[in-house]
Amino acid sequence: MTTTDIDTDIDTDVETALDLARLEGFATRVALDRAAAYNGVLVYLGDRLGIWRALAAGDRFTVAELAERCGVAERYLQEWLSTQAAGGYIEYDAPTRSFSLPAEHGLVLADENTLASGIAGFEVIAAVWAAADQLAHAYVTGDGVGWHEHDSRLYSGVDRFFATQYRNSLVQEWIPAIDGLTEELEAGIRVLDVGCGLGSADILMAQRFPGSTFDGVDYHEESVRRAIAAAAEAGVSGRVTFRQADATSYDSSYDLICFFDAVHDMGDPVGALAHAREHLAPGGRVLAVEPYAEDTLEAGIGSPVALTYFAASSALCVPNSIDQGGEALGAQAGPKRLLQAFVDAGFSHAVVAAETPYNLLIEARA
């Protein structure tokens, strides 16, 4: 946008009250956000069609070379590559009419084994757009939108998003941050994951701690089915089981009960935590991983992490909690409200044991 894009066709009285530089600056920002939103669909398609991975696997490609490698039509790919070059996602070499993906960009777009990875979120966004009509209805009526009502890309996208964090942090940093927990898992304990989703965290723990057993429960039938299949593929089915149950209907006792990015989604988080406390074996504890959040809105304003989690909460977490008849903590509840939920559930000890730019790690004991 140039200065001439802001026409002076504004009432004189209004014009004197406006900061036109601020107006132009904000209009430019919205234009850039709109362009990014358009391209978000194409970034998702690049992931879905394997284009990012193909680019990362080579040095430089012409349109024809990459089209053959990916099995996509050249004309579509030409426009897609041009868009990514215009946006700075890839580089274009005019003399050879070829495109390349910088190695640093490849870590973000084509490698889900690094914490720099950011591609899975685009699959989640695709699912959110698919639910736009449902969300509009819910916003007007106050009804909820349950997890089970969403496009299936939500389940795989969310699992991919969090699994990247789990692969890089769960057994390397988070578990060691809880005093004595690594030793207990190595010796062999019973572990339960409430709201297990597709089971990535449990499979990772089972691979690292072969002496322990892991159960996962989730109310969503399709997620449980996929978790069972994933455990079989990983070769840990003998020590990892998944079943359909909600946060207050499981039985047995456990040495460790985990909530991975789940407490804030629940309709009755205090009830879910109280049920967990009742099913802890003597000396047992709860481990909850939650999105990083500040205790006040003003402390999070301007943070891209807070913006991302607030957006996800507005579209996913709060609607799901409301669908379950709950108080909707939301993904940015903050440590004070989260710890209070543990106190209200009857825990005598609940602390933030560790934090990262993206996560809060809470340990609680009865």
Side-chain angles (χ1 to χ4, degrees):
M1 177 181 289
T2 66
T3 54
T4 57
D5 290 325
I6 301 297
D7 203 339
T8 55
D9 186 20
I10 302 175
D11 182 85
T12 303
D13 292 337
V14 175
E15 185 177 3
T16 58
L18 289 175
D19 180 338
L20 292 184
R22 184 177 188 180
L23 171 59
E24 182 174 354
F26 183 67
T28 300
R29 173 185 169 177
V30 170
L32 292 172
D33 287 348
R34 183 173 63 242
Y38 266 120
N39 193 44
V41 178
L42 301 179
V43 174
Y44 163 68
L45 288 176
D47 175 52
R48 177 170 172 172
L49 298 174
I51 304 173
W52 296 120
R53 293 184 293 278
L55 280 164
D59 180 35
R60 189 169 289 279
F61 298 92
T62 64
V63 175
E65 290 168 343
L66 191 61
E68 182 177 1
R69 178 175 289 232
C70 297
V72 298
E74 282 190 35
R75 182 63 189 91
Y76 281 102
L77 187 59
Q78 172 71 60
E79 210 71 5
W80 186 93
L81 288 166
S82 298
T83 304
Q84 304 316 313
Y89 275 42
I90 63 176
E91 294 179 347
Y92 176 61
D93 181 66
T96 60
R97 299 177 65 85
S98 61
F99 299 86
S100 61
L101 181 68
E104 296 82 0
H105 297 197
L107 292 177
V108 178
L109 298 170
D111 184 354
E112 293 182 60
N113 290 315
T114 170
L115 274 176
S117 177
I119 192 63
F122 289 92
E123 185 173 5
V124 177
I125 293 166
V128 171
W129 271 112
D133 290 343
Q134 295 166 275
L135 290 169
H137 176 79
Y139 270 55
V140 171
T141 63
D143 294 341
V145 180
W147 192 260
H148 60 284
E149 298 179 82
H150 281 276
D151 183 278
S152 64
R153 285 170 292 191
L154 179 63
Y155 320 133
S156 53
V158 166
D159 179 72
R160 290 174 64 195
F161 178 83
F162 286 119
T164 294
Q165 298 178 24
Y166 301 156
R167 279 193 296 270
N168 285 276
S169 302
L170 178 55
V171 301
Q172 301 95 324
E173 298 177 11
W174 297 347
I175 288 175
I178 307 298
D179 185 44
L181 184 54
T182 298
E183 292 76 13
E184 291 176 14
L185 286 162
E186 288 175 340
I189 58 175
R190 293 194 67 196
V191 181
L192 174 69
D193 179 4
V194 181
C196 63
L198 275 61
S200 292
D202 307 294
I203 292 169
L204 284 168
M205 289 191 292
Q207 291 171 327
R208 169 62 179 83
F209 302 108
S212 292
T213 58
F214 302 85
D215 293 342
V217 296
D218 200 292
Y219 93 95
H220 185 231
E221 182 179 8
E222 175 61 14
S223 290
V224 171
R225 185 192 69 77
R226 295 191 194 188
I228 292 171
E233 183 178 355
V236 295
S237 295
R239 294 181 295 104
V240 181
T241 62
F242 298 104
R243 66 184 186 278
Q244 190 175 4
D246 62 34
T248 58
S249 65
Y250 58 86
D251 51 19
S252 300
S253 65
Y254 296 89
D255 304 291
L256 176 67
I257 298 180
C258 301
F259 293 82
F260 291 107
D261 294 285
V263 170
H264 67 272
D265 287 315
M266 295 180 173
D268 181 11
V270 172
L273 293 173
H275 190 78
R277 181 178 58 80
E278 292 167 1
H279 288 79
L280 282 175
R285 53 185 136 192
V286 165
L287 168 63
V289 177
E290 283 287 300
Y292 181 84
E294 301 285 353
D295 282 322
T296 63
L297 172 59
E298 56 267 29
I301 290 175
S303 163
V305 174
L307 173 59
T308 299
Y309 283 144
F310 266 124
S313 191
S314 299
L316 303 171
C317 311
V318 167
N320 181 71
S321 181
I322 291 175
D323 183 66
Q324 296 177 7
E327 60 188 68
L329 277 177
Q332 289 292 280
K336 184 176 179 180
R337 290 180 66 198
L338 288 168
L339 292 176
Q340 186 61 50
F342 282 86
V343 172
D344 293 344
F347 285 90
S348 60
H349 170 87
V351 296
V352 176
E355 61 181 55
T356 76
Y358 300 99
N359 306 99
L360 296 171
L361 184 68
I362 297 174
E363 179 200 9
R365 294 177 180 269

